[in-house]
Amino acid sequence: MMGVQGVLARISELQTQLSPNSAAASTITAANGKTFAGALASATGTTGTTSSGVTGQSIVDAAKKYLGTPYVFGSTNPDKGLDCSALVQRAYKDMGIDLPRTSSQQAKVGTKVDGLANAKPGDILAFNSPVDHVSIYLGNNKMIAAPKPGDEVKIQSVYEKPTHIRRVLSTDAAAGTAATTAAGAAGAVRPASLQNSSSLAGVPYADMFVRAGAKYGVSPKLLAAVAKVESGYNPKAVSPAGAQGLMQLMPATARGLGVKNSFDPEQAINGAAKLLRNNLKEFKSVDLALAAYNAGGGNVHKYGGIPPFAETQKYVPKVQKALAALG
């Protein structure tokens, strides 16, 4: 028998399905009017699947950004609130992966996992039949969820047996962070899955983009697109303003990121990945994260969006175009 929480969640889902504006509420529109997340998904080929370097821990970290967000049923806007399936959809979308909107649809994506004992961080846990609630598994019998009206996004114990467990990310990708951390940044041999990326075939420094993406939970293609726009993949580039290297880091910014030599491609890529990760966490939007990369986070806050600077207004669409070219 469905409990009160299940009934309320089910009502939320039905309202979402019937609302003509539900999709629009979750759309983040870039400067040229195209949906950036859609462009990212198109460029990475991640409609319900993973892009190289995105890990289960990446998804967990993305979901944790929304801790404390109030439960608002039918809402996909974290500034107002999120319901259970909106939280799951949002966390994956922040990593460039598009999922369906409702919990019943999310319970069918990816591949089946047999039992909680085989679940990994980032897997989707679905509850009840028909499915009326979803969460993201953290490991150690913990999950992050938007539980019910009057509550907020929080970490809970897995309080009942899931009826469905779905893995959107491949096993190799889910192991990426642990493998990269264990190998360290000193040039140790990485697993084959991290040494190259077929989606970045022919792109300079592809293996470095993949490694940094896995380490910091940022799409390798996004890193590669930023490098293309910033320097044309030139590790010796210096801008008139003094930005240096492949990722065009300003000296003060580089120091703050722990980058000792911006002209070293691997250091620069790792610094940029760390910066983008921080921007994504702060602004919860890819286009605003890119605007902050170009113009600084203070200006994004000051103007409440992409700053009205000609360079910055052009920057996000340029990265979009570079992403599309990588597809």
Side-chain angles (χ1 to χ4, degrees), residues 189-268:
V189 176
R190 268 69 171 183
S193 62
L194 293 181
Q195 289 179 14
N196 287 294
S197 168
S198 59
S199 62
L200 291 177
V203 174
Y205 312 107
D207 58 338
M208 296 182 188
F209 291 129
V210 173
R211 288 198 296 269
K215 183 175 182 179
Y216 292 101
V218 176
S219 164
K221 279 196 172 183
L222 182 60
L223 290 169
V226 169
K228 173 66 175 177
V229 172
E230 290 286 355
S231 70
Y233 301 124
N234 178 6
K236 298 180 180 180
V238 178
S239 78
Q244 299 175 343
L246 186 72
M247 308 306 291
Q248 289 292 277
L249 300 173
M250 294 295 289
T253 301
R255 287 193 296 272
L257 295 168
V259 176
K260 296 180 179 180
N261 180 5
S262 296
F263 296 109
D264 177 88
E266 187 144 27
Q267 288 190 47

Side-chain angles (χ1 to χ4, degrees), residues 6-317:
V7 172
L8 289 171
R10 184 63 178 157
I11 291 171
S12 169
E13 295 230 338
L14 290 172
Q15 286 194 340
T16 299
Q17 292 173 22
L18 293 172
S19 171
N21 296 321
S22 59
S26 65
T27 300
I28 300 172
T29 303
N32 67 348
K34 294 172 67 178
T35 303
F36 192 92
L40 181 59
S42 175
T44 56
T46 54
T47 304
T49 58
T50 180
S51 62
S52 299
V54 179
T55 68
Q57 190 59 47
S58 304
I59 301 301
V60 168
D61 291 342
K64 285 181 176 179
K65 295 184 301 185
Y66 301 106
L67 285 170
T69 300
Y71 181 103
V72 175
F73 82 35
S75 175
T76 59
N77 183 347
D79 293 334
K80 297 179 180 178
L82 296 170
D83 62 21
C84 65
S85 55
L87 170 67
V88 174
Q89 184 186 51
R90 191 82 189 197
Y92 273 88
K93 192 168 188 176
D94 284 351
M95 292 294 101
I97 300 171
D98 281 349
L99 292 185
R101 170 65 181 92
T102 66
S103 59
S104 59
Q105 293 169 329
Q106 291 171 4
K108 299 175 182 177
V109 300
T111 58
K112 180 182 177 182
V113 175
D114 292 321
L116 196 63
N118 296 312
K120 296 180 180 294
D123 287 350
I124 297 172
L125 307 184
F127 298 88
N128 302 317
S129 183
V131 172
D132 58 25
H133 185 58
V134 285
S135 65
I136 295 173
Y137 190 55
L138 304 183
N140 298 319
N141 204 48
K142 297 291 184 180
M143 63 184 184
I144 184 168
K148 62 184 183 298
D151 212 330
E152 61 186 24
V153 176
K154 63 184 181 183
I155 293 172
Q156 303 174 290
S157 294
V158 182
Y159 50 79
E160 64 180 80
K161 182 180 179 180
T163 51
H164 303 75
I165 303 175
R166 307 298 295 188
R167 180 163 301 151
V168 177
L169 304 174
S170 70
T171 302
D172 285 346
T177 294
T180 301
T181 301
V189 176
R190 268 69 171 183
S193 62
L194 293 181
Q195 289 179 14
N196 287 294
S197 168
S198 59
S199 62
L200 291 177
V203 174
Y205 312 107
D207 58 338
M208 296 182 188
F209 291 129
V210 173
R211 288 198 296 269
K215 183 175 182 179
Y216 292 101
V218 176
S219 164
K221 279 196 172 183
L222 182 60
L223 290 169
V226 169
K228 173 66 175 177
V229 172
E230 290 286 355
S231 70
Y233 301 124
N234 178 6
K236 298 180 180 180
V238 178
S239 78
Q244 299 175 343
L246 186 72
M247 308 306 291
Q248 289 292 277
L249 300 173
M250 294 295 289
T253 301
R255 287 193 296 272
L257 295 168
V259 176
K260 296 180 179 180
N261 180 5
S262 296
F263 296 109
D264 177 88
E266 187 144 27
Q267 288 190 47
I269 291 169
N270 275 281
K274 185 176 182 180
L275 179 58
L276 283 168
R277 180 201 63 184
N278 293 345
N279 288 350
L280 286 165
K281 183 177 181 179
E282 182 174 358
F283 296 105
K284 300 180 175 63
S285 162
V286 179
D287 54 340
L288 294 183
L290 288 169
Y293 190 101
N294 178 261
N299 281 317
V300 174
H301 284 297
K302 178 180 178 180
Y303 293 101
I306 299 175
F309 310 144
E311 178 186 338
T312 309
Q313 288 285 325
K314 294 176 182 178
Y315 182 76
V316 171

